[in-house]
Structures are given as structure tokens and as C-alpha cells.
Amino acid sequence: MTDGRTGVGIGGWTFEPWRGTFYPQGLKQKDELAYAASRLTAIEINGTYYSSFKPESFRKWADAAPDGFVFTVKASRFCTNRRVLADGGESVQRFVNQGLSELGDKLGPILWQFMATKKFDADDFGAFLALLPKAVDGVPLRHALEVRHESFRDPAFIALAKAANAAIVYADHDEYPLIEADAADFAYARLMRSMEDEPAGYAPAALDDWAAKAQAWRKRGDAFVFFISGAKARNPAAAIALIERVAK
């Protein structure tokens, strides 16, 4: 079996403290994505959680990134922040059909993030997973689930995710449950503990550990690792440091 690829990056690419630190002084804002995509191997698009975009935006983003780069896309909150998930079919279709297919082979998994107050209900969650399409406009879709309530530590949840080939996000956070389960043929991690007093966000030994994890995940398929929140100003440096390690 051939190893999968590893996509490592950050959440979004527009953040003022990155200007003059990650981004060179004087770089035009319109050129920030192209610069970020030249240094990283993946970016999680977060703006799609809050609002929809036109197909032209996705096409422009794809054109700014080199071959082999991957964009994962955070699903709309209107799909996941609801009392009855099974009622979200129209929102799911609206989200998927806004232009994601314009990313083409640069489209990575869709991230479905659930609020920390959302509890596991097997019937409702199973019905929600059935709403997730396997492709849009001929472009295959993969799905990753980030759950934030302890009730999801349930074998029934893992079984549902496995049946749908949906990855359970490896969420490294002080307050959210860490559920380690090989539910899909790819892995998705969100690392949220970068520290301001570490130049690369994480201590070298911690980055070595994350690299080992990423390489292990890659043995069974693609692995996506994103540095999100924490000391956000340090996250690009953290991603670059991890990219260097997984390339060895």
C-alpha cells in the first residue's frame, strides 16, 4: 500500500499579526494566499463557516495555489448548529453547491464542526451523515467530524463514522474530548495549543511527536494537520516546522 500525502497548514490566511512576521513586510494583501500556499501544503478555509461565497472565489483560491496544494473547507454553521441535524438537508446542499467543485483536485475534506453543547443522538446523527453527499459536480467529497461534547465518547458514534468513512477529528484542546479512532481512510487533526513563548508555537520535542503521528496516519491514507487558535501568531511557524519534519 502506498502512503498517503500529508497536508499541513493553518486556518485561513488573513490575520493582521502575520503581516511582517509570516508575511514579508509590504506584501500586498491580495498576494497573501499565494505566499502562504508557497510555504505550506494545506489551508483550512474558515470563512465558509460564517457565510457563503461565489464560485469565482473558490476558482481564484485554487488558481493562487500550486499543484498538490490542498484546501479543506469548514462547513456552514447553518448545517451543524441546529437542534435537529436531520433537518439540515437544504443547508447542506446549499453549502456544498456554492462552488466547492471549483477547487477541483485541490479540494480536501469538508470539516463539520459541532458546538460544545451538541450531545450525541445516534438516530439524529446517523440521519445527518446520510445527508452528506459523496461528490459534487463529479468532484469526490470526504467528510471530517469535529465533535466537542463528552457524549460522543460512544462506540455507536465511532461505528456511524466508520460506516460513512467520515474521519473523527483529532482535536488537541484543553476542553474538548480527544477521540482517537481510525474511522476513515484519512486522518484530520486540529492542534490548538500553540504557545506564544515558543518561536515555532510548540517545543521541538512536541513537534517531533506530531510528526511521528502524522507519519503513522499517512500509512493508512492522507493526513491533514492544522494549527488552529492557541497562540495564533505562531501557527504559520508551527506548520512550517512540522512540514520540515514530515518531509524527512
Side-chain angles (χ1 to χ4, degrees):
M1 179 179 173
T2 304
D3 287 2
R5 59 180 171 175
T6 306
V8 179
I10 53 181
W13 57 87
T14 304
F15 184 53
E16 196 280 331
W18 291 340
R19 294 171 184 145
T21 53
F22 173 48
Y23 295 126
Q25 198 71 44
L27 182 72
K28 293 180 180 179
Q29 192 168 340
K30 68 180 181 64
D31 296 326
E32 288 177 349
L33 173 57
Y35 181 86
S38 73
R39 304 294 305 282
L40 309 172
T41 53
I43 281 178
E44 184 183 275
I45 301 173
N46 299 138
T48 44
Y49 179 74
Y50 300 100
S51 60
S52 60
F53 291 82
K54 295 184 182 300
E56 294 76 22
S57 294
F58 292 94
R59 192 177 312 127
K60 180 178 68 175
W61 298 336
D63 289 345
D67 291 345
F69 192 84
V70 177
F71 292 96
T72 66
V73 187
K74 191 173 181 179
S76 168
R77 55 185 170 165
F78 295 109
C79 301
T80 55
N81 293 1
R82 54 175 62 240
R83 187 176 66 83
V84 180
L85 294 173
D87 291 344
E90 184 177 336
S91 294
V92 169
Q93 288 301 315
R94 189 180 303 118
F95 165 75
V96 168
N97 288 296
Q98 67 183 296
L100 270 62
S101 61
E102 295 294 335
L103 293 173
D105 60 6
K106 293 173 185 171
L107 175 61
I110 297 172
L111 171 68
W112 304 88
Q113 183 188 85
F114 300 87
M115 296 175 68
T117 53
K118 187 64 180 176
K119 298 179 181 179
F120 177 57
D121 177 305
D123 291 340
D124 190 39
F125 210 85
F128 173 79
L129 290 176
L131 298 175
L132 306 185
K134 299 188 183 303
V136 59
D137 299 330
V139 178
L141 297 180
R142 291 181 286 180
H143 304 286
L145 312 170
E146 185 179 23
V147 296
R148 295 184 161 187
H149 192 276
E150 286 291 335
S151 61
F152 283 88
R153 290 188 189 276
D154 187 322
F157 167 58
I158 296 172
L160 285 170
K162 284 185 175 181
N165 193 37
I168 297 172
V169 170
Y170 190 106
D172 182 48
H173 192 277
D174 291 330
E175 299 174 10
Y176 307 140
L178 176 58
I179 302 174
E180 290 193 71
D182 296 344
D185 57 7
F186 69 97
Y188 198 116
R190 303 182 88 229
L191 311 186
M192 297 173 269
R193 298 197 223 208
S194 54
M195 297 174 288
E196 187 62 40
D197 59 356
E198 287 287 351
Y202 286 73
L207 288 167
D208 290 343
D209 289 343
W210 287 119
K213 280 188 178 294
Q215 288 164 338
W217 289 330
R218 195 171 61 191
K219 294 294 184 184
R220 60 181 175 83
D222 295 343
F224 302 94
V225 182
F226 296 98
F227 291 89
I228 307 289
S229 65
K232 191 171 177 181
R234 299 294 191 195
N235 287 344
I240 290 169
L242 185 62
I243 288 168
E244 292 171 350
R245 283 166 168 79
V246 297
K248 293 177 181 177

